[in-house]
Amino acid sequence: MNPDSAPIYDVAAVGAGPAGAQAAISVAHQMRHALVLDAGKISRREGRAYWSKSVEFEDVPVFDGITGPKFKRALREWMEARPVKEAVIASEQRLYGIEIRNAVLLKLRREADGTFALDCSVSRIGKDGSTERETFRARRVIVASGFEDIWPNIEADPSAERLFNKYRMVFRYAGNRRGWHVCIRCDGHLHVNEPMAFYGVGDYIYEMVVGAQDFTDKLTILTNGRPHGMSPPVLEQIKRRSIQIDERPIRRHIGEGTNLIGVEMEDGGRLFFHGFFVDEGLEPNTAFLEGWGCRTDEDGLLVVDEDNQVLDESGEPIPGLYAAGDVVAGERKLIAAAFAMGQNAALCATDSLRRWHFPGD
């Protein structure tokens, strides 16, 4: 496409999960032109919601009783039902609706006129690092790219380049009713009064264990050969609550089909549980923001203001840049929260595009 004839989108949403999809829907409802960058088919990375592969969401607005992969397709169909159209509003010719592109954002740049340039890969990256590239432009950007959960280091291939290949055995058991889970609030109800295992170290994993008390008191922490790393106050409470800590290295999964039922330790011992939860930390999908000086929390998640506008290191909002969903610091990692943030970011972004505003604003 000739760069001179390429559209300048009103709002670009980076991500096609619940936050990005809701943002695009809200942009279209405000009679604005939205671009959605969906990285799934290019990068083979999936949002956290996808890894509920056989467990239906029971508390998701808009889509009732739906599993992760079907939810992903439903979000796409929801957006595709709002194609780009033309309208004349207040004597202004305007495009509105949603355009979806399969693309991975590699670099976000500010143009001299204040718009954003989004340099993207629009094909899978070859073994030699080659890829087809395209640049899009937008007046506002909503970062809804989420993060990648760090998975258990059990039967993982450290030499494998791609995430799925590295954790192929783990992914076999991920997202099933009897498998690896990443959210105790979402999936704890599947294992009421049953023994649960928690994979991780430090006070970080204990935060998930605390949430498990709503479902069971049969709790074990697995560190996979690492020191537990927990603080004295946490250890004292663990002792009082009769929570077990097992620091032995894990050799392999014990499963039946796609059901994970236990783990075998390096010393030959076997442990069996009804539910398995992991919290090894996360990796935000924000490499494209390098050089922007965004304020982040200790996990690298973006700090935003009440308008979901991204803040810089001094605490000031970065003009035109918003964030929503799991990539936002200090927010619950729940689908309903992602929808709400996506809508708020979109409405604030489109409000900022108005030609005139309330006096004093």
Side-chain angles (χ1 to χ4, degrees):
M1 180 181 292
N2 184 343
D4 294 333
S5 62
I8 299 179
Y9 298 92
D10 290 314
V11 180
V14 185
Q22 179 63 75
I25 294 293
S26 295
V27 169
H29 280 181
Q30 301 307 305
M31 305 301 292
R32 294 290 182 176
H33 194 187
L35 169 68
V36 177
L37 301 181
D38 185 351
K41 294 182 179 179
I42 305 296
S43 69
R44 294 182 179 177
R45 289 180 175 239
E46 307 290 354
R48 171 174 277 196
Y50 179 87
W51 292 111
S52 179
K53 294 185 294 189
S54 67
V55 181
E56 290 187 346
F57 303 129
E58 297 182 357
D59 57 355
V60 177
V62 183
F63 305 103
D64 184 40
I66 193 169
T67 60
K70 291 182 179 179
F71 180 58
K72 178 182 176 180
R73 290 194 294 271
L75 288 174
R76 181 102 180 192
E77 292 169 358
W78 193 36
M79 292 186 289
E80 288 175 343
R82 290 154 178 82
V84 178
K85 299 179 181 179
E86 292 187 21
V88 176
I89 301 174
S91 302
E92 176 188 352
Q93 189 79 22
R94 185 183 295 182
L95 294 177
Y96 69 98
I98 302 171
E99 181 178 338
I100 309 171
R101 294 295 302 269
N102 296 320
V104 176
L105 180 56
L106 303 176
K107 185 69 177 176
L108 183 67
R109 298 181 287 110
R110 179 84 75 177
E111 298 280 52
D113 62 0
T115 61
F116 294 89
L118 298 92
D119 299 329
C120 299
S121 169
V122 293
S123 68
R124 290 182 180 174
I125 299 176
K127 292 183 178 180
D128 61 354
S130 62
T131 181
E132 182 181 349
R133 301 198 178 200
E134 190 169 346
T135 296
F136 305 97
R137 293 181 64 195
R139 295 179 175 86
R140 303 289 184 269
V141 171
I142 298 174
V143 178
S145 48
F147 57 72
E148 301 297 327
D149 287 289
I150 299 175
W151 290 96
N153 188 26
I154 305 174
E155 297 180 272
D157 179 2
S159 65
E161 294 182 4
R162 295 190 181 276
L163 184 73
F164 180 80
N165 288 334
K166 179 178 179 180
Y167 294 107
R168 184 177 295 274
M169 185 61 69
V170 175
F171 286 170
R172 171 182 173 183
Y173 298 115
N176 305 307
R177 288 182 174 271
R178 291 289 302 273
W180 286 110
H181 305 289
V182 293
C183 178
I184 187 66
R185 295 181 182 275
C186 302
D187 298 328
H189 70 282
L190 301 173
H191 311 289
V192 174
N193 289 325
E194 298 287 354
M196 289 186 189
F198 297 85
Y199 183 100
V201 294
D203 294 355
Y204 202 75
I205 189 63
Y206 189 62
E207 291 183 15
M208 183 180 282
V209 176
V210 169
Q213 67 184 295
D214 295 331
F215 309 103
T216 185
D217 61 355
K218 306 176 183 71
L219 308 170
T220 300
I221 298 170
L222 305 176
T223 73
N224 194 17
R226 298 167 292 179
H228 61 72
M230 295 177 193
S231 63
V234 167
L235 281 176
E236 176 62 27
Q237 189 171 103
I238 285 175
K239 182 178 179 179
R240 292 201 311 269
R241 299 298 177 187
S242 299
I243 297 167
Q244 304 301 308
I245 300 177
D246 195 317
E247 294 181 311
R248 291 177 294 171
I250 300 172
R251 175 183 296 160
R252 68 180 185 91
H253 297 87
I254 301 173
E256 296 176 348
T258 58
N259 288 331
L260 177 59
I261 61 175
V263 290
E264 181 180 305
M265 318 307 282
E266 280 195 356
D267 63 7
R270 294 186 171 194
L271 299 175
F272 296 90
F273 303 93
H274 197 270
F276 294 78
F277 291 80
V278 58
D279 195 340
E280 284 281 87
L282 52 89
E283 296 177 352
N285 293 321
T286 54
F288 52 83
L289 289 174
E290 183 180 356
W292 278 82
C294 302
R295 174 175 286 189
T296 62
D297 69 1
E298 60 184 11
D299 291 319
L301 300 177
L302 299 172
V303 177
V304 304
D305 64 12
E306 66 276 7
D307 293 332
N308 280 91
Q309 198 161 1
V310 178
L311 302 182
D312 64 19
E313 292 170 340
S314 68
E316 293 298 317
I318 299 175
L321 187 62
Y322 301 79
D326 286 352
V327 77
V328 174
E331 299 289 345
R332 295 195 186 279
K333 309 311 177 190
L334 298 172
I335 292 172
F339 275 128
M341 282 187 278
Q343 184 172 55
N344 187 58
L347 295 180
C348 291
T350 54
D351 284 353
S352 72
L353 292 170
R354 291 170 174 165
R355 288 183 293 180
W356 50 272
H357 303 270
F358 192 84
D361 288 352

